[in-house]
Amino acid sequence: MPLFSGRCYSNAKLLGKTAIITGCNTGIGKETVRDFYKRGAKVIMACRNINKAEEAKEDIVQTCKDLPDKGDIVIEKCDLSSLKSVREFSKKILESEPQINILVNNAGVMMCPKELTEDGFELQFGTNHLAHFLLTMLLLPKIKDSTPARIINVSSRAHTRFNMNLDDINFDKRSYSPFEAYSQSKLANVLFARELANRLKAHNIQGVNTYSLHPGVIKTELGRHLDKILFKGSRRLIGILTYPFMKSPELGAQTTIYCAVDEKCANETGLYYSDCVAINPDPKALNDETAMKLWEKSVELVGLDFDPFTVNAASVKINI
């Protein structure tokens, strides 16, 4: 357990609020669902594995059964390795939900062997960034109508390690590095949050704030590919070496929860957080030119065909 770990101490309730969390059947995503549910929110679990999501929901409901003012938990299919699945999920949400007050882009793949998404993108960049970019853009018209609203990107300190290479996101021109691919996807998370904040401001859209964060070194399933890309037993060895610095999923979720509910950051936007405090990200993540190029590239790659800053939710037509 780390000597210091930030905590969200806000008692803010989320009664009447709707939150969407991706990749939340385990780890910090599951703990974020638990927290929002206890605060009274309707929580939509956007998950690839419905069976695991049902198990997570059952566990959360049982552990919270004696608490007052609980919310509701709804499970919806959303496979972030498929842009079609993201569109199907978003279409259903736009048609069924009157509001979206919190969006937590939490799901992630970490340092896996080279693999492509259904749409042909390197898996980590495609899942960790492009799918969340498309999801956020499709839902933004509804989020704009649900102010005050917050959009949270779960990034990582790993964003500091490599530069963004938008000319070769699939590693077609260079040797594949699981570490570099992961770092780039996490850098994209920070750049996306900052650029989104800037574009919301440029369109004079108030009440929608964006955040990116490092949750800490956490004991979760994210490291499941380490034995494949390093050597057999590396996951266990790294776990032993990092144990003194490792957080539980409950502690690892605290900065996400802070960015989503705490009053102290209610008027902050586009910033990067660690242990419930805004800190400076790596200088690479503060490069406005890179952020703009990433945005333009992302629009092109996901095939976004409308301006989410100017259209209203009722007029959004999602082609599956």
Side-chain angles (χ1 to χ4, degrees):
M1 190 67 63
L3 294 176
F4 172 79
S5 183
R7 274 192 172 273
C8 176
Y9 293 103
S10 172
N11 294 316
K13 294 294 184 181
L14 295 175
L15 297 168
K17 304 291 187 181
T18 299
I20 297 174
I21 307 172
T22 64
C24 52
N25 57 38
T26 188
I28 63 175
K30 178 182 174 182
E31 293 306 318
T32 305
V33 174
R34 192 192 309 273
D35 182 273
F36 291 178
Y37 174 65
K38 285 161 48 172
R39 293 175 189 268
K42 177 181 181 179
V43 188
I44 299 173
M45 298 177 66
C47 295
R48 178 173 58 90
N49 190 316
I50 298 299
N51 290 334
K52 288 186 177 180
E54 291 286 0
E55 292 173 4
K57 175 183 175 180
E58 178 64 21
D59 175 67
I60 293 169
V61 170
Q62 285 300 314
T63 58
C64 300
K65 63 181 180 181
D66 296 325
L67 299 178
D69 300 325
K70 299 183 296 294
D72 188 23
I73 299 176
V74 177
I75 296 171
E76 296 290 354
K77 174 82 171 182
C78 186
D79 182 352
L80 294 174
S81 67
S82 164
L83 295 185
K84 179 183 178 182
S85 180
V86 172
R87 289 190 174 93
E88 289 173 341
F89 170 82
S90 301
K91 186 174 188 292
K92 186 171 185 178
I93 294 300
L94 290 176
E95 292 174 349
S96 62
E97 297 300 324
Q99 62 181 4
I100 303 169
N101 308 101
I102 300 170
L103 172 61
V104 181
N105 292 320
N106 168 80
V109 181
M110 186 179 80
M111 293 185 282
C112 57
K114 187 173 183 181
E115 189 176 342
L116 300 181
T117 69
E118 178 180 284
D119 305 278
F121 304 122
E122 187 278 318
L123 185 63
Q124 296 184 84
F125 189 81
T127 301
N128 299 351
H129 169 63
L130 287 177
H132 282 131
F133 177 86
L134 178 61
L135 177 67
T136 305
M137 294 299 96
L138 295 178
L139 298 182
L140 186 59
K142 180 78 71 174
I143 295 172
K144 289 187 306 179
D145 295 338
S146 310
T147 57
R150 305 190 194 189
I151 300 170
I152 297 97
N153 286 350
V154 178
S155 180
S156 167
R157 189 170 288 139
H159 82 272
T160 65
R161 295 172 187 164
F162 292 92
N163 290 310
M164 184 68 63
N165 188 335
L166 293 174
D167 295 324
D168 188 26
I169 62 167
N170 282 347
F171 288 81
D172 294 326
K173 305 172 186 176
R174 54 192 163 138
S175 298
Y176 182 69
S177 165
F179 303 99
E180 184 173 356
Y182 180 66
S183 177
Q184 282 196 144
S185 71
K186 296 290 102 179
L187 176 57
N189 293 155
V190 184
L191 289 165
F192 174 34
R194 290 188 68 252
E195 182 67 9
L196 178 55
N198 290 336
R199 289 177 182 251
L200 287 165
K201 183 178 180 179
H203 285 83
N204 198 30
I205 298 171
Q206 300 178 2
V208 180
N209 292 352
T210 74
Y211 309 80
S212 63
L213 64 98
H214 169 60
V217 180
I218 305 155
K219 187 176 182 180
T220 70
E221 296 179 5
L222 262 184
R224 60 186 176 273
H225 299 292
L226 290 175
D227 281 4
K228 294 180 182 178
I229 65 170
L230 293 175
F231 53 86
K232 188 175 181 179
S234 61
R235 182 181 182 185
R236 182 172 182 273
L237 177 60
I238 291 173
I240 293 171
L241 294 175
T242 59
Y243 181 77
F245 313 101
M246 197 170 284
K247 296 181 181 182
S248 66
E250 188 266 336
L251 281 178
Q254 292 302 304
T255 304
T256 300
I257 296 164
Y258 173 84
C259 291
V261 308
D262 203 288
E263 301 85 348
K264 291 191 289 294
C265 63
N267 296 315
E268 299 172 353
T269 189
L271 303 182
Y272 172 77
Y273 298 77
S274 180
D275 282 315
C276 301
V277 176
I279 65 171
N280 289 326
D282 189 87
K284 296 188 292 292
L286 299 173
N287 188 308
D288 290 335
E289 182 180 359
T290 302
M292 188 176 300
K293 288 181 178 178
L294 172 65
W295 186 283
E296 293 169 351
K297 186 75 169 180
S298 300
V299 168
E300 173 192 341
L301 292 176
V302 304
L304 187 66
D305 56 3
F306 68 91
D307 186 345
F309 298 96
T310 58
V311 303
N312 58 56
S315 66
V316 175
K317 303 298 180 184
I318 299 178
N319 297 316
I320 306 300

